[in-house]
Amino acid sequence: MTRPTLMARHPFDEAVALTRVAATAQEHGREAPAHFDGQPHPAYANMVGPFGGVTAAQMLQSVLQHPQLLGEPVALTVNFAAAVADAPFRIEARPARTNRSTQHWTMTLLQTDAQGVDATVITATAVTAVRRDTWSATDSPMPTVPRPMDVARVLPAKRVRWIERYDMRPVIGPIPEHWDGAESDSLTQLWLRDDPPRPLDFLSLAAMADVFFPRVWRRRAVMTPVGTVSMTVYFHAGRAELATTGQGHLLGQARSQSFFNGFFDQSAELWDEAGHLLATTHQIVYYKE
């Protein structure tokens, strides 16, 4: 009898996989750092370096794998100091302060440059917490839109690999078809999920917060060079709520408030198909003129 072969890991799980580096004697305290080795994944390659959403997920992964972790993610901020090179990296995660129900984190991603010097590429902070059952409400209801299977999937031109890893179905505000400088509203609404489908968790939710194409392209239909400088994700659901979402689509909505002298902001919301708000996110993005 032939034994069934094990299913290969999902590309996203391969991308966010980190290996814990053995701790030294000085790293065993309550608020000691933990070090992890990682590697960019070719399936999530961007124009320069990897897809920023996966980098954000890797930074969060270092917290979730830390032996001193308390609770679940509440907030994550990632600062992209430089492009991540296609080479191995090391992440240091440190619980800066642990309270009774909250924990504050600092993380740093380093790579060794051509001269053999370790350089800081990414810095990040996070807050985790032990949530209690309390009164809860949502003041940002999900927009009324067609269901995901009633919206055609769009396959953008394959300029970058990471786009292939998401099933994206624009409702309004797709990427411009004609790069003619025409101005329009910056709003985009789209259904999305991992491709192939994967059960939602904090890591994939953090990555999906960055799937929206740059708002300046939508606003003006000019493919100007861009790069995220800082990205924050706020989590409005716990592990149990994410498990209920399963492999279903999320509705994402993104817009900008201002484009000014080389930088623009982007705010976005992510709901599950049942209308639960799972995360909100904010970015500041550099654009080149």
Side-chain angles (χ1 to χ4, degrees), residues 7 28 47 53 118 135 176 186 218 285:
M7 182 179 295
H28 286 287
M47 292 181 180
D118 284 348
W135 173 87
S186 68
R218 173 67 191 169
V285 184

Side-chain angles (χ1 to χ4, degrees), residues 67-163:
Q68 302 298 328
L69 173 65
L70 175 71
E72 298 178 342
V74 172
L76 170 70
T77 295
V78 181
N79 303 307
F80 297 85
V84 178
D86 187 16
F89 57 77
R90 183 173 68 261
I91 298 177
E92 177 185 290
R94 179 190 297 271
R97 183 179 178 91
T98 301
N99 301 315
R100 187 172 66 176
S101 60
T102 61
Q103 196 169 40
H104 299 259
W105 294 85
T106 62
M107 303 91 81
T108 305
L109 186 150
L110 302 102
Q111 288 188 301
T112 304
D113 63 20
Q115 288 71 43
V117 177
D118 284 348
T120 296
V121 181
I122 306 289
T123 65
T125 61
V127 177
T128 60
V130 177
R131 293 182 182 266
R132 298 179 295 108
D133 289 335
T134 66
W135 173 87
S136 303
T138 298
D139 283 354
S140 293
M142 185 174 76
T144 301
V145 297
R147 306 313 304 168
M149 293 310 167
D150 295 329
V151 180
R153 180 176 180 179
V154 172
L155 295 174
K158 296 182 179 180
R159 296 185 177 91
V160 292
R161 288 286 308 278
W162 73 265
I163 292 178

Side-chain angles (χ1 to χ4, degrees), residues 168-180:
M168 291 187 275
R169 301 167 182 260
V171 178
I172 63 171
I175 194 167
E177 294 183 7
H178 306 288
W179 300 95
D180 54 7

Side-chain angles (χ1 to χ4, degrees), residues 243-272:
T244 300
T245 299
Q247 298 182 3
H249 286 82
L250 304 186
L251 179 70
Q253 177 173 271
R255 68 181 67 77
S256 285
Q257 283 76 38
S258 176
F259 305 82
F260 177 68
N261 287 356
F263 294 88
F264 68 88
D265 72 315
Q266 173 180 292
S267 62
E269 301 85 32
L270 293 163
W271 296 266
D272 65 12

